[in-house]
Amino acid sequence: MIIGVDVGSSVTKAQLIGRDGHATPAHEARSTAYTLPGNRVEQDLDEVIDAVVTVVREAVADARRLGEPVEALALTGQGDGLWLRDAEGRGVGRAISWMDGRAAVVLEGWTMDGTTRHVHQRTGVGMFPGSAAPLLAYLSKHEPERLARAAVAGYCVDAIVQRFTGEITVDASDASQPFLDVATRTYDERALDLCGLGPYRRLLAEPAPPGTLFALLPQIASQLGLPAGLPVSAGPFDIPACGFGSGLAEPGDGNLIIGTTLASQVLTDDPTAGVGEEPAGMLLATPYERRYLRVMPAMTGTAGLDWLLRLLGVRIAELDALLATSPLGAGGVTALPFLSAGGERAPFVDPRACGRLDGLSPLTSRADLVRALCEAVAYSARHCMETLGVSGAVTACGGGARSGEWVRIFAGVLGTGLHVCDDATGIRGAAQVAWEALGEPVDADRWRVHRRTVTADPAAIEFYAHGYSDYRRALSTAREAWSGNAARGETSRTDSGGVS
C-alpha cells in the first residue's frame, strides 16, 4: 500500500491506497488560512507540517491493523502562492496562499503594460494576484529583506518535501507557474526578466525529472512511524493530480474539479504556449512524456456557495433538497458567481470581478437564490471548457460533485454525461504517479470502476444553451463596468457588484 497525502488550503487528508485502487477511509486534519487586512491570506508552514504528520500517523496505524506494508509516501496539495523557506526548510515568514490578493496592484500594472500577455505567449500561463510572480514582485518592493533571507521560493508540496527529505526540489507542474518552458522543462529566463525578477532566479528550484523518488529522513520517519529511507513521491500538485486520479488518459479528455477552485482541465499533446484570446489559465508539465494539461482554474468554486448557504442559514446537507425545489432557471433569478476576494483568474483575469444576483422579486425563494448561483458556476465551467477545447470524455470530482442535483446541473449546462469520482481523486492521482515511479504501474481499467456516470437531460441541455448565452452577455456587460471602474481609479471590488 501507499500512503497518499493531499494538503488543501484548510484540510489535509491521508489514506492508504493499493495498486488495484482500493483505499481505506481518509483521515483529516485542519490547518488555518489566516485572513488579514489588505486581502491577505497566509498559512503557517509548521502548522501545515503538523497536520501532515497527524494524518500520516493515522494512516500508518491503519496499515498496521491491516498487516499491510507501506511502500511509499505520495504527496500532492495546493498549488500557486509563495512558500518562502531557508536552506533548512524553515518558513521565512508565513506562506502566502494562492487566495491572497495583495499583489493585485502589481498585476494591474503588468496587465496595462503588456507583461502578462507577453509572459503568457512564452509560457502559456496567465498570472493572477495569488500566483508566485506578482507575489515575488510585491515582496521585492515592500519586503525585500524576506527575499534576502530566503533560499527557495517554492510551493506547498515542495515545502513539505524539503522538511521530510532535506531536498530542495519542485515538481514540474508547480514549476510551470509561470516561468517554465513545459516542452523542455527548463525556466524561461526571458519570462523572468519581463517580470523584473531576474535577480531572484536563485530562489527557483530545478524541477525533478519524472519518476524521481526521495528518501524519508530518519528523524521525520521516527515521528511518522515509518522506516527511514522510505520512498517519497512529490507531486504533481492537486489540480493535475485530480485529473489523472479521475482517469484523464487521451488528448482531448477533460476533467472538472468542483472544489474551492472550479478547475477545468484538458489533456493535450501540444505544448504550444499563448493560445487563446486572453492571457489566462495554465499550461502544465505532467509526469508523462509528451502529455500536458491546459487548465482554467476559476475562483468560482464551492467557496461562493458556502458563503451564500451561511448567509441564508442553510446547511450543506440540505443542498440537494433545496435545488430540487427550484425549477430550471431558478424562477428568473440569475447570477454572476465571482465571489472571491482575489477576483477572477480564468477564463479571464480581473482582480475586480464581483458577484451579482439579478431578477429578484417578492416571490424569490432561498432555493431560487442557491440554484441561480449553482447554475452560474456551471456556466463558468462551460466557459472554461469551451476555451480549453475539450473534445473527449469529461470526468468530475471534488466536494461539489457529491451533490447529485448540482452535478445534474453541470451535465445539462455542459451538454454531456459526466463520469463522477466520489473519492479523494487528488490522492488517487498522486498514488498513481508514485506506483509508476516504483516500477509497478496501476491497472487503469480497474481504477476506472471507482466512478459513476451522470447523464445529461435533453430538456436541460436545450434550456441551458439559452441560459449560457444570457450568462455570456451579462458577463460581457459586467467586464465593461469593471474596466470602467479601473479607468476611474476605483479600487474597491464592492463598488461594481451587488444585488439587482
Coordinates of all heavy atoms in Angstrom, one line a residue, residues 362-438:
P362 N -40.5 39.6 -4.9 CA -41.1 39.0 -3.7 C -41.3 37.5 -3.7 O -41.5 36.9 -2.6 CB -42.4 39.8 -3.5 CG -42.1 41.1 -4.2 CD -41.3 40.7 -5.4
L363 N -41.4 36.9 -4.9 CA -41.6 35.5 -5.0 C -40.3 34.7 -4.9 O -40.4 33.5 -4.9 CB -42.4 35.2 -6.3 CG -43.7 35.9 -6.4 CD1 -44.3 35.5 -7.8 CD2 -44.7 35.4 -5.3
T364 N -39.2 35.3 -4.9 CA -37.9 34.6 -4.9 C -37.7 33.9 -3.6 O -37.9 34.5 -2.5 CB -36.8 35.6 -5.1 OG1 -36.9 36.2 -6.4 CG2 -35.4 34.9 -5.1
S365 N -37.4 32.6 -3.7 CA -37.1 31.8 -2.5 C -35.6 31.6 -2.3 O -34.8 31.9 -3.1 CB -37.8 30.4 -2.7 OG -37.2 29.7 -3.7
R366 N -35.3 31.1 -1.1 CA -33.9 30.7 -0.8 C -33.4 29.7 -1.9 O -32.3 29.8 -2.3 CB -33.8 30.1 0.6 CG -34.1 31.1 1.7 CD -33.7 30.5 3.1 NE -34.4 29.3 3.3 CZ -34.1 28.5 4.3 NH1 -33.1 28.8 5.2 NH2 -34.8 27.3 4.5
A367 N -34.3 28.8 -2.2 CA -33.9 27.7 -3.2 C -33.6 28.4 -4.5 O -32.6 28.0 -5.2 CB -35.0 26.7 -3.4
D368 N -34.3 29.4 -4.9 CA -34.0 30.1 -6.2 C -32.6 30.8 -6.1 O -31.9 30.7 -7.1 CB -35.1 31.2 -6.5 CG -36.4 30.6 -6.8 OD1 -36.5 29.4 -7.2 OD2 -37.4 31.3 -6.5
L369 N -32.3 31.4 -5.0 CA -31.0 32.1 -4.9 C -29.9 31.1 -5.0 O -28.9 31.3 -5.7 CB -30.9 32.8 -3.6 CG -31.9 34.0 -3.3 CD1 -31.8 34.5 -1.9 CD2 -31.6 35.1 -4.4
V370 N -30.0 29.9 -4.3 CA -29.0 28.9 -4.4 C -28.9 28.3 -5.7 O -27.8 28.1 -6.3 CB -29.3 27.8 -3.3 CG1 -28.3 26.7 -3.4 CG2 -29.2 28.4 -1.9
R371 N -30.0 28.0 -6.4 CA -30.0 27.4 -7.7 C -29.4 28.4 -8.7 O -28.6 27.9 -9.6 CB -31.4 26.9 -8.2 CG -31.3 26.2 -9.5 CD -32.6 25.6 -9.9 NE -32.4 24.7 -11.1 CZ -32.3 23.4 -11.0 NH1 -32.4 22.8 -9.9 NH2 -32.0 22.7 -12.1
A372 N -29.7 29.6 -8.6 CA -29.1 30.6 -9.6 C -27.6 30.6 -9.5 O -26.9 30.7 -10.5 CB -29.7 32.0 -9.3
L373 N -27.1 30.6 -8.2 CA -25.6 30.6 -8.1 C -25.0 29.3 -8.6 O -24.0 29.3 -9.3 CB -25.2 30.8 -6.6 CG -23.7 30.9 -6.4 CD1 -23.1 32.0 -7.2 CD2 -23.5 31.1 -4.9
C374 N -25.7 28.1 -8.3 CA -25.2 26.9 -8.8 C -25.2 26.8 -10.3 O -24.2 26.3 -11.0 CB -26.0 25.7 -8.2 SG -25.7 25.4 -6.5
E375 N -26.2 27.3 -11.0 CA -26.2 27.4 -12.4 C -25.2 28.3 -13.0 O -24.5 28.0 -14.0 CB -27.6 27.9 -12.9 CG -28.7 26.8 -12.7 CD -30.1 27.3 -13.1 OE1 -30.3 28.5 -13.3 OE2 -31.0 26.4 -13.2
A376 N -24.9 29.4 -12.3 CA -23.9 30.4 -12.8 C -22.5 29.7 -12.7 O -21.7 29.9 -13.6 CB -23.9 31.7 -12.0
V377 N -22.2 29.0 -11.6 CA -20.9 28.3 -11.5 C -20.8 27.3 -12.7 O -19.7 27.1 -13.3 CB -20.8 27.6 -10.2 CG1 -19.6 26.7 -10.1 CG2 -20.8 28.6 -9.0
A378 N -21.9 26.6 -13.0 CA -21.8 25.6 -14.1 C -21.6 26.4 -15.5 O -20.9 25.9 -16.3 CB -23.1 24.8 -14.2
Y379 N -22.2 27.6 -15.6 CA -21.9 28.4 -16.8 C -20.5 28.7 -16.9 O -19.8 28.7 -18.0 CB -22.8 29.6 -16.8 CG -24.3 29.4 -17.1 CD1 -25.2 30.1 -16.4 CD2 -24.7 28.4 -18.0 CE1 -26.6 29.9 -16.6 CE2 -26.1 28.2 -18.2 CZ -27.0 29.0 -17.5 OH -28.3 28.7 -17.7
S380 N -19.9 29.1 -15.8 CA -18.4 29.4 -15.7 C -17.6 28.2 -16.2 O -16.6 28.3 -16.9 CB -18.0 29.9 -14.3 OG -16.7 30.1 -14.2
A381 N -18.0 27.0 -15.7 CA -17.3 25.8 -16.1 C -17.4 25.6 -17.6 O -16.4 25.2 -18.3 CB -17.9 24.6 -15.4
R382 N -18.6 25.8 -18.2 CA -18.7 25.7 -19.7 C -17.8 26.7 -20.4 O -17.2 26.4 -21.4 CB -20.2 25.8 -20.1 CG -20.4 25.8 -21.6 CD -21.8 25.7 -22.0 NE -22.0 25.8 -23.4 CZ -23.1 25.7 -24.1 NH1 -24.2 25.4 -23.4 NH2 -23.2 25.8 -25.4
H383 N -17.8 27.9 -19.9 CA -17.0 28.9 -20.5 C -15.5 28.5 -20.5 O -14.8 28.6 -21.5 CB -17.1 30.2 -19.7 CG -16.5 31.5 -20.4 ND1 -16.5 32.7 -19.8 CD2 -15.9 31.6 -21.6 CE1 -16.0 33.6 -20.6 NE2 -15.6 32.9 -21.7
C384 N -15.1 27.9 -19.4 CA -13.7 27.4 -19.3 C -13.4 26.3 -20.2 O -12.4 26.2 -21.0 CB -13.4 27.0 -17.9 SG -13.2 28.4 -16.7
M385 N -14.3 25.3 -20.2 CA -14.2 24.1 -21.1 C -14.2 24.4 -22.6 O -13.4 23.9 -23.3 CB -15.2 23.1 -20.8 CG -15.0 22.3 -19.5 SD -13.6 21.2 -19.6 CE -13.8 20.3 -18.1
E386 N -15.0 25.4 -23.0 CA -15.0 25.8 -24.4 C -13.7 26.5 -24.7 O -13.2 26.3 -25.8 CB -16.2 26.7 -24.6 CG -17.5 26.0 -24.7 CD -18.7 27.0 -25.1 OE1 -18.4 28.2 -25.1 OE2 -19.8 26.5 -25.3
T387 N -13.2 27.3 -23.8 CA -11.9 28.0 -24.1 C -10.8 26.9 -24.2 O -9.9 27.1 -25.1 CB -11.6 28.9 -22.9 OG1 -12.7 29.9 -22.8 CG2 -10.3 29.7 -23.2
L388 N -10.8 25.9 -23.5 CA -9.8 24.9 -23.5 C -9.9 23.9 -24.7 O -9.0 23.3 -25.1 CB -9.8 24.0 -22.2 CG -9.5 24.7 -20.9 CD1 -9.8 23.9 -19.7 CD2 -8.0 25.1 -20.9
G389 N -11.1 23.9 -25.3 CA -11.3 23.0 -26.4 C -11.5 21.5 -26.1 O -10.9 20.6 -26.8
V390 N -12.2 21.2 -25.1 CA -12.5 19.8 -24.7 C -13.2 19.1 -25.9 O -14.1 19.7 -26.5 CB -13.3 19.7 -23.4 CG1 -14.7 20.3 -23.6 CG2 -13.4 18.3 -22.9
S391 N -12.8 17.9 -26.1 CA -13.4 17.1 -27.2 C -13.7 15.7 -26.9 O -14.3 14.9 -27.6 CB -12.5 17.2 -28.5 OG -11.2 16.6 -28.2
G392 N -13.2 15.2 -25.7 CA -13.4 13.8 -25.3 C -14.3 13.7 -24.1 O -15.1 14.6 -23.8
A393 N -14.1 12.6 -23.4 CA -14.9 12.3 -22.2 C -14.6 13.3 -21.1 O -13.5 13.8 -21.0 CB -14.7 10.9 -21.7
V394 N -15.6 13.6 -20.3 CA -15.4 14.6 -19.2 C -15.6 13.9 -17.8 O -16.7 13.3 -17.6 CB -16.3 15.8 -19.3 CG1 -16.1 16.8 -18.2 CG2 -16.0 16.5 -20.6
T395 N -14.7 14.0 -16.9 CA -14.9 13.5 -15.6 C -15.1 14.6 -14.6 O -14.8 15.8 -15.0 CB -13.6 12.7 -15.1 OG1 -12.5 13.5 -15.2 CG2 -13.4 11.5 -16.0
A396 N -15.6 14.3 -13.5 CA -15.9 15.4 -12.5 C -15.5 14.8 -11.1 O -15.7 13.7 -10.8 CB -17.3 15.9 -12.5
C397 N -15.0 15.7 -10.2 CA -14.6 15.3 -8.9 C -14.7 16.5 -8.0 O -15.1 17.6 -8.4 CB -13.2 14.7 -8.9 SG -11.9 15.8 -9.5
G398 N -14.3 16.4 -6.7 CA -14.3 17.5 -5.8 C -15.6 17.4 -4.9 O -16.5 16.7 -5.2
G399 N -15.6 18.3 -3.9 CA -16.6 18.2 -2.9 C -18.0 18.5 -3.5 O -19.0 17.9 -3.1
G400 N -18.1 19.4 -4.5 CA -19.3 19.8 -5.1 C -19.9 18.6 -5.9 O -21.1 18.6 -6.1
A401 N -19.1 17.7 -6.3 CA -19.5 16.6 -7.1 C -20.3 15.6 -6.3 O -21.0 14.7 -6.8 CB -18.4 15.9 -7.8
R402 N -20.3 15.7 -5.0 CA -21.1 14.9 -4.1 C -22.6 15.2 -4.2 O -23.4 14.4 -3.7 CB -20.6 14.9 -2.7 CG -19.1 14.5 -2.5 CD -18.8 14.3 -1.1 NE -17.3 14.0 -0.9 CZ -16.4 14.9 -0.6 NH1 -16.8 16.2 -0.3 NH2 -15.2 14.6 -0.4
S403 N -22.9 16.4 -4.7 CA -24.3 16.8 -4.8 C -24.9 16.3 -6.1 O -24.5 16.8 -7.2 CB -24.4 18.3 -4.7 OG -25.7 18.7 -5.1
G404 N -25.8 15.3 -6.0 CA -26.4 14.8 -7.3 C -27.1 15.8 -8.1 O -27.0 15.9 -9.3
E405 N -27.8 16.7 -7.4 CA -28.6 17.8 -8.1 C -27.6 18.7 -8.8 O -27.9 19.2 -10.0 CB -29.5 18.5 -7.2 CG -30.7 17.7 -6.7 CD -31.6 17.3 -7.8 OE1 -31.8 18.1 -8.7 OE2 -32.3 16.3 -7.6
W406 N -26.6 19.1 -8.1 CA -25.6 20.1 -8.8 C -24.9 19.5 -9.9 O -24.7 20.1 -11.0 CB -24.7 20.6 -7.7 CG -24.0 21.9 -8.1 CD1 -24.3 22.7 -9.2 CD2 -23.0 22.6 -7.4 NE1 -23.5 23.9 -9.2 CE2 -22.7 23.8 -8.1 CE3 -22.2 22.3 -6.3 CZ2 -21.7 24.7 -7.7 CZ3 -21.3 23.3 -5.9 CH2 -21.0 24.4 -6.6
V407 N -24.5 18.2 -9.8 CA -23.9 17.5 -10.9 C -24.8 17.4 -12.1 O -24.3 17.6 -13.3 CB -23.4 16.1 -10.5 CG1 -22.9 15.3 -11.7 CG2 -22.2 16.2 -9.5
R408 N -26.1 17.2 -11.9 CA -27.0 17.2 -13.0 C -27.1 18.6 -13.7 O -27.3 18.6 -14.9 CB -28.4 16.7 -12.5 CG -28.5 15.2 -12.4 CD -29.9 14.8 -12.1 NE -30.2 14.9 -10.7 CZ -29.9 14.0 -9.8 NH1 -29.3 12.8 -10.2 NH2 -30.3 14.1 -8.5
I409 N -27.0 19.6 -12.9 CA -26.9 21.0 -13.5 C -25.7 21.1 -14.4 O -25.8 21.6 -15.5 CB -26.9 22.0 -12.4 CG1 -28.3 22.1 -11.7 CG2 -26.6 23.4 -13.0 CD1 -28.4 23.0 -10.5
F410 N -24.6 20.7 -13.9 CA -23.3 20.7 -14.7 C -23.5 19.9 -16.0 O -23.1 20.4 -17.0 CB -22.1 20.2 -13.9 CG -21.5 21.2 -12.9 CD1 -21.7 21.1 -11.6 CD2 -20.7 22.2 -13.4 CE1 -21.1 22.0 -10.7 CE2 -20.1 23.1 -12.6 CZ -20.3 23.0 -11.2
A411 N -24.0 18.7 -15.9 CA -24.2 17.9 -17.1 C -25.1 18.6 -18.1 O -24.8 18.6 -19.3 CB -24.8 16.5 -16.7
G412 N -26.2 19.2 -17.6 CA -27.1 19.9 -18.5 C -26.4 21.1 -19.2 O -26.6 21.3 -20.4
V413 N -25.7 21.9 -18.4 CA -25.0 23.1 -18.9 C -23.9 22.7 -19.9 O -23.8 23.3 -21.0 CB -24.5 23.9 -17.8 CG1 -23.5 25.0 -18.3 CG2 -25.6 24.6 -17.0
L414 N -23.1 21.6 -19.6 CA -22.0 21.2 -20.4 C -22.6 20.4 -21.6 O -21.9 20.2 -22.6 CB -21.0 20.4 -19.7 CG -20.2 21.1 -18.6 CD1 -19.4 20.1 -17.8 CD2 -19.3 22.2 -19.2
G415 N -23.8 19.9 -21.5 CA -24.4 19.1 -22.6 C -23.8 17.8 -22.8 O -23.8 17.2 -23.9
T416 N -23.3 17.2 -21.8 CA -22.7 15.9 -21.9 C -22.8 15.1 -20.6 O -22.9 15.7 -19.5 CB -21.2 16.0 -22.3 OG1 -20.6 14.7 -22.5 CG2 -20.4 16.7 -21.2
G417 N -22.7 13.8 -20.6 CA -22.6 13.0 -19.4 C -21.3 13.2 -18.7 O -20.3 13.5 -19.3
L418 N -21.3 13.1 -17.4 CA -20.1 13.3 -16.6 C -19.8 12.0 -15.8 O -20.7 11.3 -15.3 CB -20.3 14.4 -15.6 CG -20.6 15.8 -16.1 CD1 -20.8 16.8 -15.0 CD2 -19.4 16.3 -16.9
H419 N -18.5 11.6 -15.9 CA -18.1 10.4 -15.1 C -17.6 10.9 -13.8 O -16.5 11.6 -13.7 CB -17.0 9.7 -15.9 CG -17.4 9.3 -17.2 ND1 -18.3 8.3 -17.5 CD2 -17.0 9.7 -18.5 CE1 -18.5 8.1 -18.8 NE2 -17.7 9.0 -19.4
V420 N -18.3 10.7 -12.7 CA -18.1 11.3 -11.4 C -17.3 10.4 -10.5 O -17.7 9.2 -10.3 CB -19.4 11.7 -10.8 CG1 -19.2 12.4 -9.4 CG2 -20.2 12.6 -11.7
C421 N -16.3 11.0 -9.9 CA -15.4 10.3 -9.0 C -15.7 10.8 -7.6 O -15.6 12.0 -7.3 CB -13.9 10.4 -9.3 SG -13.5 10.0 -11.0
D422 N -16.2 10.0 -6.7 CA -16.6 10.4 -5.4 C -15.5 10.4 -4.3 O -15.7 10.9 -3.2 CB -17.8 9.6 -4.9 CG -19.1 9.9 -5.8 OD1 -19.3 11.0 -6.0 OD2 -19.7 8.9 -6.1
D423 N -14.4 9.7 -4.6 CA -13.4 9.6 -3.5 C -12.3 10.7 -3.7 O -12.5 11.6 -4.4 CB -12.8 8.2 -3.5 CG -12.2 7.9 -4.8 OD1 -12.2 8.7 -5.8 OD2 -11.6 6.7 -5.0
A424 N -11.3 10.6 -2.9 CA -10.2 11.6 -2.9 C -9.3 11.4 -4.2 O -8.3 10.7 -4.2 CB -9.3 11.4 -1.7
T425 N -9.7 12.1 -5.3 CA -9.0 11.8 -6.5 C -7.6 12.4 -6.6 O -6.8 11.9 -7.3 CB -9.9 12.4 -7.7 OG1 -10.2 13.8 -7.4 CG2 -11.1 11.7 -7.9
G426 N -7.4 13.5 -5.8 CA -6.0 14.0 -5.7 C -5.1 13.0 -5.2 O -4.0 12.8 -5.7
I427 N -5.5 12.3 -4.1 CA -4.6 11.3 -3.5 C -4.5 10.1 -4.5 O -3.4 9.6 -4.7 CB -5.3 10.8 -2.2 CG1 -5.0 11.8 -1.1 CG2 -4.7 9.4 -1.8 CD1 -5.7 11.5 0.2
R428 N -5.6 9.8 -5.2 CA -5.5 8.7 -6.2 C -4.5 9.0 -7.3 O -3.7 8.2 -7.7 CB -6.9 8.5 -6.8 CG -7.0 7.3 -7.7 CD -8.5 7.0 -8.1 NE -9.2 6.6 -6.9 CZ -9.3 5.4 -6.5 NH1 -8.7 4.4 -7.2 NH2 -10.0 5.0 -5.5
G429 N -4.5 10.3 -7.8 CA -3.6 10.7 -8.8 C -2.1 10.7 -8.3 O -1.2 10.2 -9.1
A430 N -1.9 11.2 -7.1 CA -0.5 11.2 -6.6 C 0.0 9.7 -6.4 O 1.1 9.4 -6.6 CB -0.5 11.9 -5.2
A431 N -0.9 8.9 -5.9 CA -0.5 7.5 -5.7 C -0.2 6.8 -7.0 O 0.7 6.0 -7.2 CB -1.6 6.7 -5.0
Q432 N -1.0 7.1 -8.1 CA -0.8 6.5 -9.4 C 0.6 6.9 -9.9 O 1.4 6.0 -10.4 CB -1.8 7.1 -10.4 CG -1.6 6.6 -11.8 CD -2.7 7.1 -12.7 OE1 -3.9 7.2 -12.3 NE2 -2.4 7.5 -13.9
V433 N 1.0 8.2 -9.7 CA 2.4 8.6 -10.1 C 3.4 7.9 -9.3 O 4.5 7.4 -9.8 CB 2.5 10.1 -10.0 CG1 3.9 10.6 -10.2 CG2 1.6 10.8 -11.0
A434 N 3.2 7.7 -8.0 CA 4.1 7.0 -7.1 C 4.3 5.5 -7.5 O 5.4 5.0 -7.5 CB 3.7 7.1 -5.7
W435 N 3.2 4.9 -7.8 CA 3.3 3.5 -8.2 C 4.1 3.3 -9.5 O 5.0 2.4 -9.6 CB 1.9 2.9 -8.5 CG 1.1 2.5 -7.2 CD1 0.0 3.0 -6.8 CD2 1.5 1.5 -6.3 NE1 -0.4 2.4 -5.6 CE2 0.5 1.4 -5.3 CE3 2.6 0.6 -6.2 CZ2 0.5 0.6 -4.2 CZ3 2.6 -0.3 -5.1 CH2 1.6 -0.3 -4.1
E436 N 3.9 4.2 -10.4 CA 4.7 4.2 -11.6 C 6.2 4.4 -11.4 O 7.0 3.8 -12.0 CB 4.1 5.2 -12.6 CG 2.8 4.8 -13.2 CD 2.0 5.9 -13.9 OE1 2.5 7.0 -13.8 OE2 1.0 5.6 -14.5
A437 N 6.5 5.4 -10.4 CA 7.9 5.6 -10.1 C 8.5 4.4 -9.4 O 9.7 4.2 -9.6 CB 8.0 6.8 -9.2
L438 N 7.7 3.6 -8.7 CA 8.2 2.4 -8.1 C 8.4 1.3 -9.1 O 8.9 0.2 -8.8 CB 7.3 2.0 -7.0 CG 7.2 2.8 -5.7 CD1 6.1 2.4 -4.9 CD2 8.5 2.8 -5.0

